[in-house]
């Protein structure tokens, strides 16, 4: 029997963290529907849920939020790295290097174990520090001034304010951003999470496993798609070109970024709330062009190919309306997904078995080594 290309359709393990229900196109974090979580909770409550099995009570949330606020600062060695980074470098690479450096300066990581207790602290440190890394790696490499985190602001107010270089407290902007963080947080055995579990399964530490996942998320078939969506919408540039260009891309068998999903075939449950908030922002700002183009592309893709948008499609235009630089879309996704990665790494470490599949050999059959003088090109 031949292997399924891309492991499609293969059940690769168990998890109690989230359920992707393909039959209803829905997504559940530890038994809670993501749409209800978006309506009634904040990103930090969801982060707590993913790491600790259930939603926090008032006291638990307070201490989780306090930990996050107290640990937002990053070591100077990272600011030095950002200052010396080339302008053309991608912030995902700086994020990857930063997480590795955090692992190498955390004494508990070098000398400690992969116990649940230590892993939880490392996870919370990463959740607290990644926004400072994402915002300032970009700012410094672009020659802008660093902006230190502000303990008086909530997680999403602080993250957005550091990115935009001005204090953001407007409730629609903060709600849109925070909701995107909830939606991006976790998604079963997606490629980056699976790669994190492969690394964790060798008993490597949490920071190294997260670094692996960041490298995997960067690719345009995965997290990198949200940036590509925005470049594509800008290239199309006007609603009256949207149908023609979409049809051309279909005819040329191009992959249209922000569409399709390995598991969902009749739509991604995360798109509805993201699109709704993006459109509210567009109405507030009076900027409709990105949604006009998007609506035509969506209609054309469904009519022509029965392929639906995934979360990256509405997230890209929402981020653009928020004023976020395009290069930061995937690093923001990583700052959210670190919660899911961490939960999976903990789950893997707590019931570990090395992940090492087999493969079918399809190369030449056995042959003798010829002396180098007799080898043909
Ligand atoms: N644009 C155009 N055609 C697409 C498509 C897209 N975004 N996504 C899938 N298809 C088509 C494929 O060309 C293929 O058609 P064919 O059978 O005629 O060759 C068919 O749908 C199956 O696609 P395939 O690439 O085999 O599915 P997959 O499960 O391996 O890939 C993705 C899933 C997500 C990698 C794929 O849909 C994709 O590349 N999407 C764009 C990138 C993206 O948005 N990634 C974020 C995912 S959350």
């Amino acid at each position: 029997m031949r292997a399924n290309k891309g492991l499609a359709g293969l059940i690769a393990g168990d998890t109690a963290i989230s359920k992707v229900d393909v039959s209803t196109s829905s997504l559940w974090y530890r038994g809670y529907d993501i749409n209800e979580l978006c309506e009634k909770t904040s990103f930090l409550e969801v982060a707590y849920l993913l790491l600790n099995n259930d939603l926090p009570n008032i006291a638990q949330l307070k201490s989780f939020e306090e930990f996050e606020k107290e640990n937002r600062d990053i070591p100077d060695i990272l600011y030095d790295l950002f200052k010396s980074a080339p302008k053309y470098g991608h912030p995902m690479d700086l994020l990857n290097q930063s997480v590795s450096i955090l692992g190498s300066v955390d004494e508990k990581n070098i000398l400690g174990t992969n116990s649940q207790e230590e892993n939880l602290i490392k996870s919370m440190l990463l959740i607290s520090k990644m926004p400072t890394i994402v915002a300032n790696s970009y700012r410094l490499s672009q020659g802008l001034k660093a902006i230190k985190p502000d303990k008086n602001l909530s997680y999403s107010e602080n993250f957005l304010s550091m990115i935009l270089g001005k204090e953001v407290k407007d409730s629609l902007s903060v709600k849109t951003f925070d909701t995107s963080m909830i939606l991006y947080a976790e998604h079963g055995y997606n490629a980056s999470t699976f790669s994190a579990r492969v690394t964790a399964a060798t008993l490597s530490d949490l920071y190294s496993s997260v670094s692996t996942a960041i490298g995997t998320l960067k690719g345009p078939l995965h997290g990198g798609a949200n940036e590509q969506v925005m470049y594509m919408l800008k290239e199309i540039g006007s609603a009256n070109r949207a149908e023609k260009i979409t049809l051309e891309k279909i005819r040329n068998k191009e992959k249209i970024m922000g569409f399709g999903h390995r598991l969902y075939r009749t739509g991604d449950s995360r798109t509805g709330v993201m699109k709704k908030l993006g459109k509210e922002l567009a109405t507030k700002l009076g900027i409709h062009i990105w949604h006009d183009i998007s609506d035509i592309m969506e209609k054309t893709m469904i009519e022509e190919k029965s392929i639906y948008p995934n979360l990256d499609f509405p997230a890209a235009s929402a981020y653009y309306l928020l004023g976020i630089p395009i290069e930061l879309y995937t690093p923001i996704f990583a700052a959210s997904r670190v919660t899911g990665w961490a939960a999976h790494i903990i789950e893997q470490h707590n019931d570990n078995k090395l992940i090492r599949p087999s493969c079918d050999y399809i190369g030449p059959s056995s042959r003798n080594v010829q002396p180098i003088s007799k080898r043909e090109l």
Side-chain angles (χ1 to χ4, degrees):
M1 201 178 71
R2 294 300 304 276
N4 292 350
K5 204 168 177 193
L7 304 183
L10 193 91
I11 307 283
D14 296 336
T15 184
I17 301 165
S18 70
K19 177 178 165 185
V20 181
D21 188 339
V22 180
S23 64
T24 54
S25 283
S26 57
L27 174 62
W28 308 77
Y29 294 167
R30 296 202 185 273
Y32 296 104
D33 183 295
I34 45 128
N35 286 309
E36 194 179 357
L37 289 170
C38 287
E39 205 185 306
K40 298 180 181 165
T41 69
S42 66
F43 170 64
L44 281 189
E45 284 175 81
V46 167
Y48 185 99
L49 164 71
L50 294 171
L51 291 176
N52 297 286
N53 303 329
D54 210 343
L55 287 164
N57 61 27
I58 292 173
Q60 287 164 332
L61 181 62
K62 188 163 177 278
S63 87
F64 194 73
E65 285 175 342
E66 266 166 23
F67 184 100
E68 188 273 321
K69 283 188 173 146
E70 290 305 319
N71 287 284
R72 288 174 180 171
D73 285 325
I74 55 174
D76 286 343
I77 183 175
L78 295 186
Y79 285 109
D80 294 341
L81 169 73
F82 305 155
K83 276 183 218 149
S84 59
K87 225 178 174 163
Y88 57 79
H90 196 283
M92 278 300 267
D93 294 326
L94 286 176
L95 181 61
N96 205 339
Q97 291 163 43
S98 302
V99 169
S100 283
I101 291 172
L102 287 179
S104 66
V105 298
D106 180 350
E107 205 173 73
K108 285 251 174 54
N109 187 47
I110 307 301
L111 304 174
T113 66
N114 292 323
S115 70
Q116 171 150 350
E117 199 188 2
E118 286 182 13
N119 273 343
L120 276 173
I121 294 174
K122 292 176 199 172
S123 310
M124 285 158 62
L125 288 172
L126 283 178
I127 291 168
S128 314
K129 294 182 190 310
M130 276 171 71
T132 315
I133 294 169
V134 169
N136 283 307
S137 62
Y138 176 78
R139 297 188 67 80
L140 290 189
S141 68
Q142 298 299 307
L144 299 166
K145 269 180 65 183
I147 295 194
K148 297 284 163 89
D150 182 346
K151 282 184 204 169
N152 298 313
L153 300 178
S154 71
Y155 174 92
S156 283
E157 286 170 352
N158 173 60
F159 197 173
L160 256 186
S161 300
M162 286 190 296
I163 291 171
L164 300 181
K166 58 176 190 207
E167 191 169 295
V168 184
K169 281 194 147 179
D170 140 60
S171 60
L172 180 58
S173 298
V174 175
K175 171 77 183 159
T176 305
F177 186 77
D178 201 70
T179 302
S180 78
M181 298 298 279
I182 294 177
L183 295 169
Y184 270 135
E186 160 59 14
H187 213 195
Y189 272 32
N190 60 86
S192 57
T193 300
F194 187 61
S195 68
R197 289 192 78 127
V198 170
T199 302
T202 68
L203 296 185
S204 190
D205 63 87
L206 188 134
Y207 292 98
S208 302
S209 308
V210 169
S211 271
T212 300
I214 292 172
T216 310
L217 187 74
K218 186 183 171 199
L221 295 190
H222 190 11
N226 58 8
E227 299 181 10
Q228 298 308 320
V229 167
M230 201 57 229
Y231 292 124
M232 176 181 71
L233 295 178
K234 288 186 77 172
E235 194 189 316
I236 293 174
S238 85
N240 53 24
R241 280 159 42 88
E243 185 180 8
K244 182 171 165 279
I245 293 182
T246 310
L247 289 172
E248 258 168 37
K249 285 180 186 289
I250 293 173
R251 223 178 5 260
N252 297 338
K253 296 207 169 300
E254 267 178 57
K255 277 281 171 71
I256 302 183
M257 291 292 135
F259 284 86
H261 196 272
R262 171 61 63 79
L263 301 180
Y264 300 121
R265 294 295 173 188
T266 54
D268 176 340
S269 57
R270 303 167 298 173
T271 52
V273 59
M274 198 70 254
K275 187 167 154 182
K276 180 174 165 286
L277 285 165
K279 284 199 167 181
E280 279 175 34
L281 262 183
T283 304
K284 188 173 168 198
L285 297 169
I287 303 173
H288 297 284
I289 175 170
W290 311 118
H291 289 95
D292 291 347
I293 298 173
S294 299
D295 286 346
I296 294 169
M297 292 191 79
E298 179 174 341
K299 184 169 174 284
T300 312
M301 279 296 273
I302 295 173
E303 277 172 10
E304 296 291 319
K305 297 279 291 178
S306 300
I307 296 178
Y308 291 78
N310 57 54
L311 173 59
D312 293 318
F313 197 61
S317 40
Y319 284 174
Y320 198 72
L321 290 173
L322 286 171
I324 298 173
I326 299 175
E327 298 93 317
L328 292 186
Y329 295 5
T330 316
I332 290 168
F333 183 166
S336 158
R337 184 58 62 86
V338 72
T339 55
W341 292 333
H344 279 271
I345 294 162
I346 291 169
E347 190 172 61
Q348 186 66 40
H349 278 159
N350 287 352
D351 182 21
N352 193 51
K353 173 102 176 151
L354 180 77
I355 299 173
R356 201 299 184 195
S358 307
C359 51
D360 286 327
Y361 176 69
I362 55 165
S365 53
S366 73
R367 44 189 174 162
N368 297 325
V369 176
Q370 297 298 316
I372 195 161
S373 57
K374 294 207 172 144
R375 288 179 215 158
E376 287 171 13
L377 276 181

